[in-house]
Amino acid sequence: MKELLRGGNCSSRPRALLMSRAKNQIVFGKGRVRLRQFQQFLDFGERNRQFPPSPATDYLTMTFPVSPQDQAALRPASARSYLDFEKPVAELEAKVQELRSLAADGEGVQISDELFRLEGKSEKALADLYASLTPWQKTQVARHPQRPHFTDYVKGLITDFSPLSGDRQFGEDAALICGLGWFRGYAVCVMGQEKGTDTAARIKHNFGMARPEGYRKAVRVMQLAARFNLPVISLVDTPGAFPGVDAEERGQAEAIARATDASLSLGVPNIAAIVGEGGSGGAIAIATCNRVLMLEHAIYTVASPEASASILWRDAAKAEDAATTMKITAQDLYRFGIIDAIIAEPVGGAHRDPAAAIQAVGDAVQRALEGLLPLSHEEIRRSRADKFLAIGRTV
Amino acid sequence: MNWISNVMPPKVRSFLRRETPENLWVKCPESGELVFHKDLEANLFVVPGSGYHMRLSPKARLANLFDEGIYEDLPTPDAPVDPLKFRDVKRYTDRLKEYRAKTEAQDCVKLAAGRLEGMEIVAAIQDFDFLAGSLGMAAGEAIITGMTTALNRRAPFIIFTASGGARMQEGIFSLMQMPRTTIAVQRLREANLPYIVVLTNPTTGGVTASYAMLGDIHIAEPGAVIGFAGPRVIEQTIRERLPEGFQRAEYLESHGMIDMVVQRQDMRATLARLCSILTRTPRAAGAA
């Protein structure tokens, strides 16, 4: 088992490979785009998760306690990956695992007490750590490569999902996925950004950064939803709208403005759940909803911490300061009345138990939806507008 | 400066220093030609030779827009100040004070009402000199008030935009001004009142991605930079030089995002013509 995992472990994937791929050029729409600038996206997982593994505790190549359900939910061949600040927990969990394998070798009786004690300690360390994450740590959790993405939510919550493609004007944008389906007995329209889980998928989905076509598709699908009286569920997870020549050329700003406009015109209820990063205009375009929910460790920003830092401090390295001063966490935003509810994540973040996180989002969305269904179309529209107009007036 | 100027209070100092105004001659940023400041002022800050449109102060613009330069200053509503208790290298409240002293305005949006060739209109102007015309709570609230006033007076609403985008110091509250102003735009639309956007240099970010791109008619001043992402961000993303004229008014016109590019000298006449047609108000005889 140990050997097997070692072979397929993501930690053994050479970082150099990723870097060299990142330097290649690929074709993006009309323009030839170098991928170097996307390194942060390509390897944000690598960068965040790797701290030098010491020879004594080679936890990165060890197995970890996962339930069969978890195992199914986790992506293939990936052991648990740790963020920098999770190091103490990682060490504890590694020790637990060490003991567990010793116990399995037949020395169980003598060490079961110790194992029990350590397990408790490690669980507590994890819970304590996640109970008091700093805004910057939350930013890293929100971007965790194993955090469930749009596609995972659709798999877990929507039956008969039927994706709809294209804006009928220019093209299709895989960064923002729209579709129809059944959500717990309700026929709905679903939309959201998909970041992708491996390099190929990330490139295909443009790291969740939509172009004008994506937003125009969203407008088209919202109008479809309105005609067929389908509530709209938005799952927001984007670093922001794509900043590129082609996007500007085709009116990125106008597309976003029209999407916000369309969201505010809807007579059917719409509910947004910010499940990862809610980045700027790229997020608000589909997050102007009757109810805005947010996962416990998600972030919602006017500009990414990196962008804010380079604007305000003229230094992108101040991202950590920016994350703190900009008040981007669900807890702050709830206090400000920007979001309507916080959805609790499994202990240790959504990436530790994606299935549970997905169902928690489903429960919260269902509750919000059922509260809105009795309202008339006029009430839905008016209450949405009133809600946004009230934001900030009582701070 | 000698030691006297060092010990003198700043007000006295500025009084004493009024010997010669520094900017008698203004250099055109495009052609480098020198223009006498009086000539520039008389020409609405358009450089006569190159046609370069320099920044025009809100006051000068309003004076040019309304009949005989007469208009009513509409009060802008109070908005919460500094909800995040923000500080970067400086306290946000200090920064605000600085800009308020410099521009003699509370925030970057100025509202006015008056007559344009006899027709009553309500106008809003964003002042780029106030914290880059950034969209914060005060600006958002002012724009909503301006649109609501137009709604109550059943008058066309004209906005002159100039903004670097969201006001970072107000964080998420700044982002929320995008849907909030959009609601006010929708109300104008439902009341069938003309909403004309005049995009001036520069209009970018969250402002472009909300009310500035939702007008019934989009007009831009020549050469104005208009876009969503700033040129620097895009260049960093694609690692290539941007095409010639990228994000300029003329580029947006040829890409179908704006209706027309209008010289500043013709702006008043153009706006009057459009308002008259859209409100089906025949213009007074003799009006140009």
Side-chain angles (χ1 to χ4, degrees):
Chain A
M1 183 66 182
K2 224 170 155 180
E3 284 309 308
L4 182 85
L5 258 156
R6 183 167 290 162
N9 194 299
C10 61
S11 71
S12 63
R13 188 165 48 169
R15 193 181 155 84
L17 175 79
L18 264 175
M19 300 298 276
S20 69
R21 256 200 227 169
K23 279 174 191 138
N24 290 339
Q25 290 190 336
I26 55 153
V27 175
F28 247 128
K30 281 184 189 170
R32 287 165 75 223
V33 181
R34 263 174 225 265
L35 261 183
R36 266 185 70 183
Q37 69 278 9
F38 292 143
Q39 267 170 21
Q40 49 169 327
F41 294 102
L42 286 175
D43 68 354
F44 51 28
E46 309 316 286
R47 185 181 47 197
N48 286 338
R49 97 174 50 128
Q50 308 266 0
F51 38 88
S54 70
T57 53
D58 192 9
Y59 37 72
L60 282 166
T61 54
M62 301 191 110
T63 57
F64 293 97
V66 274
S67 67
Q69 200 188 8
D70 275 359
Q71 262 165 348
L74 281 172
R75 291 180 183 82
S78 68
R80 175 138 294 141
S81 57
Y82 290 98
L83 299 166
D84 269 353
F85 64 87
E86 292 180 315
K87 189 169 179 177
V89 174
E91 279 167 359
L92 278 170
E93 288 189 351
K95 273 185 202 149
V96 168
Q97 198 46 46
E98 218 167 339
L99 281 176
R100 199 166 282 168
S101 53
L102 279 177
D105 291 346
E107 298 165 53
V109 191
Q110 295 91 318
I111 53 171
S112 66
D113 280 356
E114 176 67 4
L115 180 61
F116 184 73
R117 194 186 62 80
L118 256 182
E119 270 176 348
K121 197 174 160 191
S122 131
E123 275 163 30
K124 187 173 177 309
L126 184 69
D128 287 350
L129 181 67
Y130 270 78
S132 56
L133 290 181
T134 67
W136 180 241
Q137 289 168 340
K138 278 184 192 271
T139 306
Q140 289 166 275
V141 175
R143 294 169 176 173
H144 198 290
Q146 291 176 342
R147 199 171 168 84
H149 289 163
F150 180 83
T151 316
D152 305 307
Y153 284 97
V154 166
K155 270 189 205 134
L157 296 174
I158 308 292
T159 51
D160 283 351
F161 182 66
S162 319
L164 302 174
S165 293
D167 65 350
R168 301 293 186 271
Q169 294 176 52
F170 179 82
E172 155 64 1
D173 186 353
L176 208 168
I177 301 172
C178 299
L180 305 172
W182 292 95
F183 166 69
R184 300 189 175 178
Y186 301 100
V188 295
C189 163
V190 192
M191 56 182 64
Q193 295 95 347
E194 169 63 50
K195 282 184 172 174
T197 43
D198 53 41
T199 307
R202 279 177 200 143
I203 291 170
K204 178 182 166 208
H205 296 290
N206 197 28
F207 310 88
M209 297 187 287
R211 288 185 166 81
E213 301 74 73
Y215 298 109
R216 292 189 178 125
K217 174 174 65 178
V219 170
R220 178 175 78 83
V221 174
M222 280 190 236
Q223 286 163 352
L224 191 75
R227 272 187 52 222
F228 293 95
N229 204 9
L230 308 173
V232 178
I233 300 171
S234 295
L235 299 165
V236 181
D237 190 12
T238 178
F242 183 64
V245 174
D246 57 337
E248 292 289 323
E249 195 169 66
R250 297 195 293 274
Q252 185 71 293
E254 197 262 358
I256 291 171
R258 291 288 166 199
T260 314
D261 193 6
S263 307
L264 284 163
S265 307
L266 276 181
V268 290
N270 58 355
I271 296 157
I274 296 155
V275 294
E277 272 183 285
S280 194
I284 195 81
I286 61 163
T288 309
C289 296
N290 289 93
R291 294 284 181 274
V292 182
L293 319 172
M294 203 166 155
L295 271 178
E296 193 183 344
H297 304 309
I299 59 166
Y300 190 11
T301 57
V302 65
S304 71
E306 290 80 1
S308 313
S310 72
I311 294 170
L312 292 164
W313 283 271
R314 309 212 167 270
D315 180 4
K318 295 261 189 195
E320 186 167 353
D321 295 343
T324 313
T325 40
M326 302 286 287
K327 306 274 197 295
I328 59 175
T329 66
Q331 294 69 29
D332 278 326
L333 299 180
Y334 182 73
R335 195 159 49 82
F336 289 148
I338 304 284
I339 59 166
D340 300 289
I342 300 176
I343 308 168
E345 290 189 24
V347 174
H351 56 279
R352 286 213 166 222
D353 191 352
I358 290 166
Q359 290 312 315
V361 169
D363 293 347
V365 169
Q366 187 183 353
R367 225 172 300 129
L369 180 61
E370 284 168 355
L372 291 164
L373 284 175
L375 301 181
S376 74
H377 285 192
E378 191 40 45
E379 283 168 331
I380 292 278
R381 269 201 63 183
R382 206 186 38 239
S383 62
R384 188 190 297 118
D386 289 347
K387 169 192 140 104
F388 277 93
L389 286 179
I391 284 177
R393 283 192 175 157
T394 52
V395 174
Chain B
M1 290 294 152
N2 55 29
W3 66 272
I4 302 182
S5 63
N6 288 335
V7 296
M8 245 187 309
K11 279 221 168 145
V12 180
R13 215 186 301 164
S14 69
F15 179 77
L16 285 179
R17 224 192 292 139
R18 223 176 268 169
E19 306 105 28
T20 46
E22 275 167 33
N23 42 359
L24 274 178
W25 291 88
V26 183
K27 194 174 172 185
C28 169
E30 208 172 63
S31 63
E33 108 187 64
L34 285 172
V35 194
F36 190 58
H37 75 112
K38 284 262 162 76
D39 294 344
L40 197 59
E41 225 174 289
N43 206 31
L44 293 170
F45 286 86
V46 178
V47 178
S50 66
Y52 182 85
H53 282 53
M54 296 184 74
R55 207 168 289 156
L56 186 60
S57 75
K59 272 195 182 150
R61 201 181 277 281
L62 286 173
N64 173 249
L65 175 69
F66 291 103
D67 295 352
E68 282 126 41
I70 301 165
Y71 58 92
E72 168 197 357
D73 266 319
L74 296 177
T76 48
D78 287 332
V81 177
D82 194 15
L84 306 186
K85 309 270 175 286
F86 193 88
R87 110 172 262 160
D88 41 60
V89 280
K90 227 185 247 183
R91 259 180 227 284
Y92 174 45
T93 46
D94 291 345
R95 217 178 269 269
L96 274 180
K97 264 183 219 149
E98 210 175 280
Y99 280 98
R100 282 175 182 172
K102 201 171 105 186
T103 62
E104 291 168 14
Q106 275 305 98
D107 210 284
C108 67
V109 173
K110 188 170 169 53
L111 299 175
R115 297 199 170 269
L116 172 60
E117 293 193 359
M119 293 169 288
E120 190 183 10
I121 59 158
V122 176
I125 295 193
Q126 263 177 304
D127 184 2
F128 194 80
D129 286 332
F130 193 107
L131 257 169
S134 54
L135 178 63
M137 297 168 94
E141 209 64 64
I143 289 164
I144 293 169
T145 303
M147 291 180 181
T148 312
T149 310
L151 201 63
N152 294 338
R153 300 188 183 190
R154 297 215 46 87
F157 184 75
I158 301 172
I159 189 165
F160 296 83
T161 61
S163 178
R167 183 163 299 172
M168 307 302 293
Q169 292 89 345
E170 294 186 15
I172 198 83
F173 287 100
S174 170
L175 188 69
M176 290 299 135
Q177 303 315 313
M178 294 169 63
R180 295 180 86 242
T181 50
T182 303
I183 294 165
V185 173
Q186 289 187 342
R187 293 187 175 166
L188 280 177
R189 194 187 299 154
E190 280 156 23
N192 288 324
L193 292 168
Y195 168 42
I196 302 178
V197 183
V198 181
L199 300 134
T200 71
N201 188 37
T203 300
T204 57
V207 168
T208 325
S210 58
Y211 58 88
M213 277 289 145
L214 293 174
D216 296 313
I217 293 176
H218 296 163
I219 304 175
E221 286 196 334
V225 170
I226 304 157
F228 176 63
R232 211 160 32 107
V233 178
I234 299 172
E235 235 162 17
Q236 278 166 11
T237 311
I238 61 164
R239 307 258 165 185
E240 269 174 38
R241 282 183 58 85
L242 296 171
E244 188 73 22
F246 180 64
Q247 288 186 327
R248 298 280 170 180
E250 297 73 14
Y251 176 93
L252 267 88
E253 187 187 30
S254 70
H255 283 85
M257 283 299 136
I258 56 177
D259 294 284
M260 53 188 99
V261 178
V262 174
Q263 300 281 331
R264 199 173 278 162
Q265 283 88 340
D266 304 330
M267 193 63 79
R268 177 181 142 84
T270 307
L271 290 170
R273 196 171 65 233
L274 291 171
C275 285
S276 139
I277 298 167
L278 289 173
T279 58
R280 284 168 292 154
T281 315
R283 287 196 287 165

